[in-house]
Amino acid sequence: MQAVRFIVSRHGGQLRIQGRQHDYPPDCLVVTGNDAAVGMDVLGGRTPYFDVQAADFRAIYPDVLGLLDEVPQGRFLREPVRIVGADRDVLGVVLLLAESMPVTLLRFTYVYCLGVDRHYFSALLRHSMSGDQAFTDFIQANYLNQWSVVRFAEAFDMPLRKFNILFQDMYGMTAKRWLLEQRLQHARGLLLSTPMRVLDIALECGFSNHAHFTDSFRRRFHCNPRQFRLRAASKPCADYR
């Protein structure tokens, strides 16, 4: 399943899909596929964008369900490029959320798109979620277990190679990389919101020991968990991403 790419256009620019060039205007969100090659904007700056996989859409589905159209009749035809006008304030919020809050970023962006074009984006969300729901439900239920990727494949009763291919297709990255990021983000939340001991957080988040957790956390957030908690107590949480 092809991912959905959201391009944040402040100045306008160009993208290329299968050799064909598409121009897009300033002050908009450009909704396309992840096969779109994004160039520089008209001022020569880097054009920011983010990709969304089927599993990401499933994560926000309960939050936006009440905003969706009824299930449409007939086949949905996804457009190669869809332009959604957005003022500078909206784009500013998107860029701010893109720095540290991926789930909140997608939720905000998609609620905005639904407000502009409810029919198209309701259909796009349902279309993008199509795939192996049993697989994503299994991952969501077990990602904090102290399992290796091999153990995940065995528990799902799937050959490792096929498991890795399906995971890459559904989540847009390797299982090892995704699992580590999700566990670290969950640990980050527990450090900010609970008084749990660092060791207990490590075990809660699927790490087998304190040292592995601390080393992984330091590489991701540039400080160890205790330092992160102490600094967060004296500064806004938005400073820590």
Side-chain angles (χ1 to χ4, degrees), residues 1 52-62 125-145 147 152 155-156 158 162-173 175 178-179 182:
M1 177 65 65
V52 182
Q53 308 291 334
D56 301 318
F57 281 116
R58 287 205 178 99
I60 68 162
Y61 181 71
L125 176 61
R126 292 189 174 102
H127 174 76
S128 299
M129 283 174 34
S130 62
D132 195 330
Q133 185 164 358
F135 182 81
T136 54
D137 287 347
F138 168 78
I139 297 299
Q140 192 61 37
N142 294 288
Y143 74 95
L144 293 179
N145 290 341
W147 292 357
F152 272 95
F156 196 66
M158 180 177 285
K162 185 176 180 181
F163 179 91
N164 283 327
I165 291 172
L166 181 57
F167 199 102
Q168 182 77 38
D169 185 51
M170 297 298 294
Y171 290 86
M173 65 181 71
W178 186 90
L179 289 167
Q182 297 304 308

Side-chain angles (χ1 to χ4, degrees), residues 164-238:
N164 283 327
I165 291 172
L166 181 57
F167 199 102
Q168 182 77 38
D169 185 51
M170 297 298 294
Y171 290 86
M173 65 181 71
T174 65
K176 183 177 181 180
R177 178 183 169 194
W178 186 90
L179 289 167
L180 178 60
E181 178 65 17
Q182 297 304 308
R183 291 164 176 172
L184 288 172
Q185 289 293 346
H186 188 65
R188 175 185 180 276
L190 292 176
L191 286 166
L192 291 173
S193 62
T194 75
M196 291 174 64
R197 297 187 308 159
V198 172
L199 175 59
D200 292 336
I201 289 176
L203 298 177
E204 169 76 16
C205 295
F207 293 90
S208 58
N209 58 68
H210 184 287
H212 181 212
F213 170 58
T214 299
D215 185 52
S216 299
F217 194 94
R218 183 185 292 111
R219 287 198 301 268
R220 176 63 177 83
F221 296 108
H222 311 295
C223 62
N224 69 42
R226 294 185 188 281
Q227 291 169 334
F228 180 87
R229 177 175 266 167
L230 289 172
R231 294 176 186 177
S234 59
K235 294 185 179 181
C237 292

Side-chain angles (χ1 to χ4, degrees), residues 44-176:
R46 174 181 172 274
T47 302
Y49 65 85
F50 62 94
D51 293 342
V52 182
Q53 308 291 334
D56 301 318
F57 281 116
R58 287 205 178 99
I60 68 162
Y61 181 71
D63 300 325
V64 303
L65 179 59
L67 304 176
L68 303 181
D69 266 348
E70 296 181 0
V71 178
Q73 300 297 317
R75 181 184 177 190
F76 170 68
L77 296 177
R78 176 172 163 177
E79 297 181 6
V81 178
R82 188 84 171 191
I83 304 297
V84 181
D87 63 30
R88 293 297 176 95
D89 289 339
V90 170
L91 297 180
V93 172
V94 171
L95 291 172
L96 180 63
L97 294 174
E99 296 182 5
S100 59
M101 303 176 181
V103 175
T104 307
L105 164 66
L106 177 56
R107 188 184 299 116
F108 175 86
T109 303
Y110 218 82
V111 167
Y112 179 80
C113 289
L114 285 166
V116 174
D117 190 343
R118 182 180 178 189
H119 178 72
Y120 180 82
F121 285 97
S122 295
L124 177 62
L125 176 61
R126 292 189 174 102
H127 174 76
S128 299
M129 283 174 34
S130 62
D132 195 330
Q133 185 164 358
F135 182 81
T136 54
D137 287 347
F138 168 78
I139 297 299
Q140 192 61 37
N142 294 288
Y143 74 95
L144 293 179
N145 290 341
Q146 293 179 23
W147 292 357
S148 66
V149 176
V150 172
R151 175 74 184 279
F152 272 95
E154 291 174 346
F156 196 66
D157 194 23
M158 180 177 285
L160 179 60
R161 182 175 179 275
K162 185 176 180 181
F163 179 91
N164 283 327
I165 291 172
L166 181 57
F167 199 102
Q168 182 77 38
D169 185 51
M170 297 298 294
Y171 290 86
M173 65 181 71
T174 65
K176 183 177 181 180

